[in-house]
Amino acid sequence: MEVTGSRFCGGTERGRMEGWGSYTLPTGTEYRGELRDGAFHGRGALLFPGGGIFRAVWHRGLPAEGSFTFADGLEYAAERWDYCDGYDRRFYSEIRSGLRAAGISQLTNLDPPRQIPAGCYDCGDGFYNPETRIVTDYELKFLRNADDEEHEWIIRTCRKAEDRAPGQKPGP
């Protein structure tokens, strides 16, 4: 993720974004939709670099109602969220494509899972190096410094480079 300036393509009125347009934030997230008086207003969507989409009806820059769809097609539901709960721990790709044979576990929703740099953890939005306490994106560009709380959560919860499922061979 290369952080650059924001970009806008669309109509303006009195020097403000107006009508339909596309606005790309410095993080690479793009808004496509209606704008009014320089703010998201009306129907529009945020398209995230990782592939997720937040579609919403916006009112003066704030979402009045909306829905989020993950890159793999899974739709988030605030009510009755049945995905990866205490009773069914399957990944969405396993729900869609079925389980593997016994003894060949799937470690992540991605198959095959990402290669994690030695000594690091996959923390969901990038890799975490506990030595430097730095989180990078998956292209190894800086995202943030982890505070003590995030450090402990990652060490306790996330997959480390050496973690393998039974029957899974090490990568090259």
Side-chain angles (χ1 to χ4, degrees), residues 12-142:
T12 60
E13 190 173 304
R14 296 181 317 280
R16 294 178 174 265
M17 300 181 295
E18 191 74 30
W20 193 94
S22 169
Y23 182 82
T24 304
L25 290 93
T27 60
T29 299
E30 180 185 3
Y31 172 81
R32 290 184 193 164
E34 299 173 83
L35 300 137
R36 184 168 145 199
D37 197 26
F40 305 163
H41 191 84
R43 297 200 180 282
L46 285 171
L47 291 76
F48 295 92
I53 301 173
F54 179 67
R55 290 180 178 85
V57 175
W58 301 81
H59 183 72
R60 296 182 180 165
L62 299 173
E65 59 181 71
S67 64
F68 184 82
T69 304
F70 293 91
D72 62 5
L74 175 65
E75 290 187 37
Y76 175 74
E79 309 290 324
R80 294 192 39 83
W81 179 249
D82 295 330
Y83 171 67
C84 209
D85 63 13
Y87 300 102
D88 185 352
R89 302 299 297 171
R90 292 177 296 166
F91 292 106
Y92 186 60
S93 58
E94 292 175 309
I95 292 169
R96 288 179 28 184
S97 303
L99 293 172
R100 296 175 171 205
I104 305 174
S105 298
Q106 186 169 328
L107 294 176
T108 71
N109 197 41
L110 293 176
D111 187 37
R114 284 186 182 89
Q115 291 288 336
I116 304 171
C120 294
Y121 294 80
D122 183 342
C123 59
D125 62 345
F127 300 122
Y128 175 66
N129 182 331
E131 298 288 320
T132 62
R133 290 190 169 217
I134 291 176
V135 177
T136 62
D137 67 13
Y138 291 119
E139 271 123 48
L140 304 179
K141 294 188 175 110
F142 178 85

